[in-house]
């Protein structure tokens, strides 16, 4: 069986990204960009080794980004991408694979079937790269900003990574091209007289160069998820209830460890459920006295922050309050506005409905209030 190793090149400084943190360590859905890249390759069944190539100054930040991943120890890169790849190939030569994939650490969303296409092409070719067609008109521009030529798009494509090669061929080509400034490994093979085959790339396989690119890749990687939340609190003595962050006077109160806002509790659990992130009891255990009489807004704020940490957004939150009293028609819009402010979204993303159980069950007997919540979110899955 053909053995395959992957080099993930993450030694650059990314000056165009405009951040003190190199782009490969920028946050993407709660994980560094490079962690997503490493995970995509280490998860692929045909890739037996993943070797990262990093900048000498990045030991600590890389260790945090890659914690727990099944990858090799990092190799220190050089002054250029070409030199970094050569150093990575040298490290692999101790136990050389049959084929090697070279991937940009700043391309976090590489689909598994794209890797399959590259590896499949290596059964017949020394080098294979994924490419995308060019849709825009191309212009050549002089130093003064004036167009000097319209360039034909015929035969022109955009190169992506991972690029695949027979290991011995690529290593020899790098040795022959040492000291040159070639922009990718396909060019190195070409400079040594080898032909390189192309396969279809993927529009979602975006290279992060600017912060706009980071948002584009977050959008491409986002999943839409839906989850339910449900909560119940019984009545006790008091002078009113808090529902959706709105206080409603009545001759009873809801009993609970916090302020017993059944609406915000159900909403919080729905969002956490969509993230696969436990529930209120996990993050705010009732045994913790610090949450005694706490406003339930803190729970929903927490869930909304967890969602945003995964580059996510609350698409819609649908709430159904089940009770005989109090009557909620007059305060329903107030609750929508309150919940939206707490969650940090527009009220148009919040729906609040109320119903009764026609006198049946504990809510029908006026013993308490229940709430059902359905949250729809978009978020980048964690690169665990």
């Amino acid at each position: 069986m053909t053995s395959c190793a992957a080099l993930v090149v993450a030694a650059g400084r990314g000056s165009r990204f405009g951040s003190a943190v190199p782009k490969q360590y920028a946050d993407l859905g709660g994980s560094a960009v490079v962690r997503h890249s490493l995970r995509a390759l280490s998860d692929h069944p045909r890739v037996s080794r993943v070797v990262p190539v990093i900048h000498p100054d990045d030991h600590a930040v890389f260790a945090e980004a890659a914690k727990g991943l099944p990858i090799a120890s990092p190799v220190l890169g050089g002054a250029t991408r070409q030199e970094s790849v050569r150093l990575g190939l040298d490290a692999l030569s101790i136990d050389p694979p049959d084929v090697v994939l070279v991937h940009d650490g700043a391309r976090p969303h590489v689909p598994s079937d794209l890797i399959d296409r590259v590896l499949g092409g290596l059964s017949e070719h020394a080098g294979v790269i994924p490419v995308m067609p060019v849709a825009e008109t191309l212009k050549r521009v002089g130093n003064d900003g004036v167009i000097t030529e319209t360039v034909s798009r015929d035969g022109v494509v955009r190169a992506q990574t991972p690029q695949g090669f027979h290991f011995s061929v690529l290593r020899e080509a790098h040795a022959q091209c040492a000291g040159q400034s070639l922009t990718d490994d396909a060019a190195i093979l070409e400079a040594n007289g080898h032909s390189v085959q192309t396969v279809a790339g993927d529009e979602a396989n975006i290279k992060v160069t600017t912060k706009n690119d980071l948002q584009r890749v977050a959008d491409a990687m986002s999943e839409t998820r839906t989850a339910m939340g449900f909560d119940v609190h019984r009545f006790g003595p008091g002078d009113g209830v808090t529902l959706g962050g709105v206080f409603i006077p009545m001759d009873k109160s809801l009993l609970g460890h916090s302020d017993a806002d059944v609406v915000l509790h159900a909403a919080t659990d729905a969002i956490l459920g969509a993230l696969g992130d436990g529930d209120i009891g996990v993050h705010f255990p009732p045994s913790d006295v610090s949450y005694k009489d706490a406003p339930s807004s803190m729970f929903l704020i927490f869930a909304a922050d967890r969602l945003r940490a995964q580059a996510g957004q609350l698409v819609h939150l649908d709430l159904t309050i089940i009770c005989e009293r109090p009557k909620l028609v007059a305060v329903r819009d107030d609750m929508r506005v309150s919940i939206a402010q707490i969650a940090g979204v527009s009220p148009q993303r919040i729906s609040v409905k109320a119903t009764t159980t026609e006198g049946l069950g504990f809510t029908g007997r006026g013993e308490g209030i229940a709430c059902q919540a359905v949250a729809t979110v978009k978020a980048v899955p964690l690169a665990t």
Side-chain angles (χ1 to χ4, degrees):
M1 181 177 178
T2 301
S3 62
C4 173
L7 288 179
V8 176
V9 187
R13 299 294 83 191
S15 57
R16 284 177 289 175
F17 189 67
S19 171
V21 178
K23 61 188 179 183
Q24 61 269 32
Y25 300 110
D27 182 83
L28 177 60
S31 300
V33 166
V34 71
R35 185 179 183 88
H36 291 277
S37 305
L38 293 164
R39 172 58 78 187
L41 288 159
S42 63
D43 278 352
H44 196 278
R46 295 177 63 183
V47 177
S48 57
R49 273 183 290 165
V50 175
V51 178
V53 184
I54 69 170
H55 193 278
D57 294 342
D58 292 346
H59 277 290
V61 68
F62 178 81
E64 180 63 28
K67 184 184 299 182
L69 292 180
I71 60 174
S73 298
V75 175
L76 298 184
T80 65
R81 184 187 188 279
Q82 182 176 334
E83 186 179 358
S84 292
V85 174
R86 180 183 62 78
L87 292 168
L89 294 171
D90 288 347
L92 283 174
S93 67
I94 298 170
D95 181 18
D98 296 315
V99 299
V100 60
L101 298 174
V102 182
H103 186 57
D104 296 325
R107 286 188 192 268
H109 189 36
V110 52
S112 180
D113 59 348
L114 187 153
I115 298 172
D116 287 334
R117 289 195 292 275
V118 173
L119 291 175
L122 289 175
S123 63
E124 298 180 8
H125 303 279
V128 177
I129 71 168
V131 298
M132 292 295 296
V134 174
E136 296 86 355
T137 297
L138 299 176
K139 302 287 186 180
R140 196 180 306 280
V141 179
N143 292 334
D144 57 0
V146 175
I147 294 170
T148 60
E149 179 187 3
T150 297
V151 181
S152 173
R153 291 180 305 205
D154 291 344
V156 176
V157 293
R158 293 178 285 139
Q160 296 185 328
T161 69
Q163 299 183 354
F165 307 94
H166 286 248
F167 177 79
S168 59
V169 174
L170 182 61
R171 189 164 186 239
E172 174 60 25
H174 264 273
Q176 295 298 322
C177 291
Q180 298 183 33
S181 297
L182 300 173
T183 56
D184 73 354
D185 297 282
I188 290 172
L189 248 67
E190 295 162 38
N192 280 264
H194 296 283
S195 62
V196 179
Q197 180 66 28
T198 63
V199 295
D202 194 303
E203 200 64 59
N205 185 24
I206 299 164
K207 183 178 181 181
V208 175
T209 301
T210 68
K211 290 180 180 176
N212 285 338
D213 296 329
L214 189 64
Q215 184 58 56
R216 288 173 57 224
V217 77
D219 292 341
M221 293 177 69
S222 291
E223 294 179 353
T224 300
R225 298 181 179 182
T226 301
M228 295 182 64
F230 181 77
D231 198 40
V232 174
H233 283 285
R234 61 189 176 92
F235 283 126
D239 59 357
V241 297
T242 299
L243 297 176
V246 176
F247 182 76
I248 305 166
M250 63 179 294
D251 59 355
K252 296 180 180 179
S253 291
L254 290 171
L255 301 179
H257 187 60
S258 63
D259 64 5
D261 190 328
V262 66
V263 176
L264 295 188
H265 291 186
T268 299
D269 273 350
I271 295 172
L272 292 174
L275 294 175
D277 196 13
D279 57 23
I280 288 179
V282 170
H283 298 287
F284 303 97
S287 58
D288 190 332
V289 296
S290 67
Y291 303 125
K292 177 67 175 172
D293 299 324
S296 296
S297 57
M298 70 182 294
F299 305 148
L300 184 55
I301 289 170
F302 173 84
D305 286 345
R306 301 283 275 199
L307 176 59
R308 280 187 284 271
Q310 286 187 224
Q313 60 176 312
L314 180 61
V315 177
H316 191 255
L317 180 63
D318 183 55
L319 298 148
T320 302
I321 305 167
I322 307 164
C323 64
E324 295 294 328
R325 53 190 294 260
K327 298 303 180 184
L328 302 175
V329 173
V331 295
R332 186 172 60 184
D333 286 341
D334 292 338
M335 283 192 284
R336 288 181 66 217
V337 171
S338 171
I339 295 164
Q341 288 177 339
I342 295 167
V345 298
S346 164
Q348 282 69 39
R349 297 191 182 275
I350 308 295
S351 169
V352 175
K353 308 188 298 292
T355 190
T356 71
T357 55
E358 301 292 338
L360 301 174
F362 74 91
T363 56
R365 294 189 296 270
E367 296 172 2
I369 298 178
C371 184
Q372 296 175 333
V374 178
T376 301
V377 309
K378 284 186 68 177
V380 176
L382 290 173
T384 54

